Amino acid sequence: MPKRQEFAKPIKERILEIEVPDRIEAARLAEKMAVKAEAVIAKLRELDLDEAEELDQDAACLVVEEFNHRPVRMRTAAEDLIKGDRGTGSEVVRRPPIVTVMGHVNHGKTTLLDQIRKARVAASEDGGITQHIGSYQVQTEYGSVTMIDTPGHEVFSEMRARGANLTDIVVLVVAVDDGVQPQTLEAIAHARDAKVEIVVALNKIDIPGADKSAILNELAAQGIETTALGGAVPVVEISALHGQNIDGLLKEIIDIAELHEFKAPVDVEPQGTVIEAKMEKGLGPVATAIVKEGRLRKGSYLICDVAHGKVRELRDENGQVIKEAGPSTPVQIQGLSDLPQVGCDFYVTTEQRARDYVKEVRFRSQQHAHANSRTDRVEADSIQEMLRMAKEVEEKKVINLVLKADVAGTREAMLQALEKIGNDSAELKVVLSGLGPITESDVNMAAASGALMVGFRVTANSKARKLIEDRKLRTYFSDVFYEVTDFVRAQLEGMLQPVVNEEVRGAALVKEVFTIHKIGRIAGCGVTEGTIERKLPVRVVRDGTIVAKTKIAELRHYKDQADSVKAGSDCGICLERFADFKPGDLIETYEEITSAQKL
Ligand code: GDP
């Protein structure tokens, strides 16, 4: 009996097991823990977490722990699919490393990817017909490498935002004639964040006179300790343009892969990540994915978020039909019901489970419709709404934009980049974004909402072209990512009021003040800076404060009238509408320089 009493001892703080679904409202979580919602909000603030109405599972678990309870993660339908019967995998194989090329604009990323692709064509002699499917593999004498065929970090960060961790190695391209630039730093931050290996490719080595060691020092200052400076990050000098030392770069990549021994099980249910997706005429949704584990085969039933279906056909990067694709292999998949999201993982499951899952996801997404539809919706769903938006364009500094892109990946990357453009005084609103050529209905939408139309790697169909001409709509087409963002930025900047700066051209120190009959009070000055020009506007500065702004009525050098007096000389200045000089005042002449506001 005494023992029982021990157990029955009242516990001050009851530790509860709190079931945490993949998303939960803060108020609901508070209820489960029997605390006030405000307490949960305060905790979120304390933990520096988003005070969103809804928390994701990680944040919710953290909060539960903070309240000294035990979180129990509820498996979601997706996790059930994943963790179902995939098997643990006893047959593990080496797989090629997956490589992303990053770096500052114009440092040569695209050229490098082209060169590597060429090297592949030369090696495999497949006739050189290469289509862009978002990834390709290159076979070298040392081994294979899988390249993600989209330069820049937009797509990389987009993937990561969706939780995809596809890259093993980042090739950081730095042009020797330009050194470390803002996007170099961003690329470093991304790579470091994703904990992937980095190889520095010093590009444009054919340009003479570059200070390579200065660049290596700049990189070291960013924590990229290259082998040349005794660190661990390899540096390869290349000329992407002339195909110089591409082999050396590939060898370095393979060396890193050897060191890491990237491996994957093959006797498990296949899983991979979608890197591109587009609608193809007659084929429907076609997704490019890279297989991460297992061997994907024709006939398997796939699910990728809400897109699902039986794999009707598998093709390799050259468009050749293949029977199966193993780890690190890029593969084109036909047979999905919808366009899957880029960065989404696919799993193999049964049709029934896929349908159940989609039902659940759709139900949830209806609940979160507002949050989820920010970029993809047509904001205007009524005529009134369109008119309101058009009016807003007239009144405020707003540019409405209709964006069409070739594939889901580029569209999303572009939307992300565009979202960052704009500030308090000029705003960019994407009223519609979609895939494929610009159509009549896009043009109508743009016309109704006064929107600018941008076609990224797409054209306009002939009816749309005619409509654009008829309605004289602003339309911009480009295949180059940064051209589009630069163009849109320039359009927004064009709407901003120009900034006027006063640039001082000359300064004169008032030494004494005297009065001349018929003229009035004159400041006897010594010119201390630049030149005092009679024609320029002036300001009188006393103790750092501007006390007057006016014009010069008379400028004298000794007894003579002068147009200008240079530094080092004395002069007499008489101003229009201002005579209250004091010794010690500065009379400054200035020019108004008007420049466009930058975003
Ligand atoms: P990205 O913006 O990083 O994809 O850069 P691009 O690949 O489009 O290259 C930008 C410019 O640099 C192009 O004009 C290329 O021809 C040029 N370029 C690329 N690699 C080299 C190189 O190794 N040497 C020289 N001299 N120019 C290069």
Side-chain angles (χ1 to χ4, degrees):
M1 269 303 153
K3 271 220 159 114
R4 245 197 107 186
Q5 260 178 358
E6 257 173 54
F7 276 108
K9 197 164 66 181
I11 303 164
K12 265 192 200 139
E13 282 185 26
R14 237 161 31 103
I15 298 176
L16 302 173
E17 283 202 343
I18 308 288
E19 282 196 335
V20 183
D22 64 339
R23 300 192 70 84
I24 182 165
E25 287 173 359
R28 175 82 189 107
L29 187 64
E31 202 178 295
K32 282 185 167 224
M33 294 189 291
V35 297
K36 286 193 170 150
E38 292 81 51
V40 168
I41 303 284
K43 189 57 81 182
L44 287 171
R45 213 171 289 147
E46 193 185 310
L47 295 172
D48 232 5
L49 292 170
D50 257 0
E51 292 168 40
E53 271 179 27
E54 262 202 342
L55 312 182
D56 63 26
Q57 200 173 43
D58 287 343
C61 286
L62 211 63
V63 171
V64 170
E65 280 168 3
E66 284 287 311
F67 279 92
N68 290 324
H69 296 306
R70 195 176 305 126
V72 180
R73 285 175 187 264
M74 281 166 73
R75 274 167 50 168
T76 62
E79 276 176 277
D80 281 335
L81 290 174
I82 304 161
K83 292 180 183 162
D85 292 322
R86 297 191 58 234
T88 46
S90 52
E91 193 193 344
V92 174
V93 297
R94 292 286 290 274
R95 62 170 180 84
I98 303 172
V99 177
T100 300
V101 175
M102 293 209 264
H104 196 67
V105 61
N106 277 337
H107 280 201
K109 299 177 292 293
T110 314
T111 315
L112 175 61
L113 280 166
D114 288 348
Q115 276 297 350
I116 300 179
R117 203 184 300 114
K118 257 193 228 164
R120 175 191 74 115
V121 172
S124 61
E125 288 176 10
D126 60 9
I129 309 154
T130 47
Q131 7 157 217
H132 172 89
I133 66 153
S135 174
Y136 60 83
Q137 261 190 348
V138 49
Q139 266 74 40
T140 75
E141 54 180 295
Y142 326 105
S144 308
V145 177
T146 301
M147 302 295 303
I148 306 264
D149 196 10
T150 314
H153 49 241
E154 270 79 7
V155 172
F156 185 80
S157 49
E158 172 68 17
M159 293 243 190
R160 293 204 49 232
R162 295 191 188 285
N165 219 349
L166 200 58
T167 300
D168 301 307
I169 301 170
V170 161
V171 172
L172 180 65
V173 178
V174 186
V176 287
D177 61 337
D178 203 22
V180 172
Q181 293 296 330
Q183 284 159 315
T184 322
L185 301 182
E186 275 181 46
I188 292 172
H190 276 307
R192 194 174 281 150
D193 221 32
K195 298 191 177 60
V196 297
E197 293 297 320
I198 296 178
V199 182
V200 174
L202 277 188
N203 190 29
K204 309 198 184 183
I205 208 73
D206 53 296
I207 298 177
D211 189 352
K212 288 179 277 185
S213 63
I215 296 175
L216 297 183
N217 284 331
E218 280 179 82
L219 287 170
Q222 300 300 327
I224 302 294
E225 309 269 357
T226 48
T227 40
L229 297 180
V233 179
V235 184
V236 191
E237 296 185 8
I238 60 163
S239 167
L241 189 63
H242 300 292
Q244 194 181 322
N245 205 21
I246 303 298
D247 251 12
L249 175 62
L250 289 172
K251 167 118 186 28
E252 207 58 70
I253 291 170
I254 301 271
D255 283 351
I256 293 179
E258 295 272 303
L259 206 69
H260 278 266
E261 299 193 343
F262 298 118
K263 286 179 179 160
V266 282
D267 54 347
V268 289
E269 288 286 21
Q271 183 207 331
T273 304
V274 170
I275 54 169
E276 271 194 15
K278 59 181 157 190
M279 282 293 184
E280 276 190 15
K281 252 198 191 139
L283 298 178
V286 176
T288 304
I290 295 184
V291 178
K292 290 211 280 203
E293 293 184 357
R295 295 189 202 280
L296 181 64
R297 297 191 173 92
K298 179 178 167 175
S300 303
Y301 204 92
L302 283 196
I303 177 139
C304 182
D305 194 24
V306 294
H308 59 103
K310 201 176 193 170
V311 179
R312 202 168 54 225
E313 193 102 275
L314 275 184
R315 288 178 189 269
D316 68 9
E317 65 209 67
N318 302 312
Q320 302 297 318
V321 174
I322 50 171
K323 286 208 177 88
E324 61 168 41
S328 291
T329 311
V331 65
Q332 295 180 74
I333 300 164
Q334 288 170 33
L336 291 175
S337 57
D338 294 279
L339 268 187
Q341 297 267 13
V342 167
C344 206
D345 281 346
F346 73 76
Y347 302 95
V348 168
T349 185
T350 62
E351 181 166 356
Q352 192 51 50
R353 287 171 101 179
R355 290 192 185 281
D356 290 347
Y357 172 70
V358 170
K359 225 187 267 170
E360 185 181 331
V361 169
R362 289 241 154 93
F363 172 70
R364 284 176 197 218
S365 71
Q366 270 167 8
Q367 291 178 326
H368 312 308
H370 183 65
N372 293 343
S373 62
R374 221 179 69 243
T375 48
D376 206 5
R377 91 197 127 167
V378 177
E379 282 194 2
D381 41 21
S382 68
I383 300 284
Q384 279 80 359
E385 181 71 347
M386 278 194 210
L387 292 175
R388 188 190 59 72
M389 279 160 51
K391 195 150 173 266
E392 208 172 47
V393 174
E394 268 172 39
E395 288 170 0
K396 279 205 306 191
K397 309 263 180 268
V398 177
I399 285 189
N400 286 340
L401 190 92
V402 168
L403 171 74
K404 294 299 288 284
D406 57 342
V407 292
T410 49
R411 177 188 63 162
E412 289 182 18
M414 182 59 76
L415 283 173
Q416 272 210 341
L418 292 176
E419 227 174 56
K420 295 189 194 121
I421 302 177
N423 63 12
D424 291 344
S425 25
E427 196 189 330
L428 185 72
K429 265 194 193 167
V430 179
V431 295
L432 170 71
S433 76
L435 303 182
I438 291 182
T439 61
E440 273 174 291
S441 79
D442 299 330
V443 179
N444 286 330
M445 175 69 199
S449 56
L452 172 70
M453 267 181 303
V454 170
F456 180 44
R457 298 197 183 144
V458 297
T459 52
N461 68 27
S462 57
K463 280 187 182 161
R465 265 203 302 273
K466 180 148 186 337
L467 209 54
I468 290 169
E469 263 172 42
D470 290 350
R471 300 200 168 191
K472 301 197 172 33
L473 289 176
R474 282 184 301 165
T475 316
Y476 182 78
F477 294 95
S478 173
D479 289 348
V480 184
F481 198 92
Y482 290 98
E483 278 182 11
V484 175
T485 51
D486 284 353
F487 171 79
V488 174
R489 188 178 291 110
Q491 294 294 311
L492 268 182
E493 284 172 351
M495 298 182 81
L496 296 175
Q497 294 292 341
V499 217
V500 181
N501 263 324
E502 291 176 2
E503 284 188 9
V504 174
R505 296 285 180 244
L509 181 69
V510 178
K511 292 177 179 167
E512 55 184 326
V513 183
F514 39 89
T515 308
I516 294 183
H517 180 59
K518 282 197 178 160
I519 294 181
R521 277 163 66 87
I522 304 249
C525 310
V527 180
T528 53
E529 250 179 71
T531 305
I532 297 290
E533 280 183 68
R534 200 176 51 78
K535 285 186 305 207
L536 290 184
V538 291
R539 55 193 198 192
V540 181
V541 181
R542 184 170 300 156
D543 300 329
T545 310
I546 296 171
V547 293
K549 275 186 160 182
T550 179
K551 285 184 186 160
I552 296 181
E554 267 203 58
L555 179 66
R556 290 199 180 227
H557 186 44
Y558 298 106
K559 289 240 149 54
D560 307 324
Q561 301 250 13
D563 284 333
S564 64
V565 181
K566 287 204 173 104
S569 302
D570 284 344
C571 64
I573 299 176
C574 175
L575 297 182
E576 285 182 9
R577 301 188 314 276
F578 184 86
D580 184 25
F581 304 108
K582 290 210 167 84
D585 284 353
L586 269 182
I587 297 177
E588 293 177 343
T589 51
Y590 62 89
E591 254 181 291
E592 286 188 341
I593 304 294
T594 308
S595 52
Q597 262 192 70
K598 296 270 172 220
L599 285 169

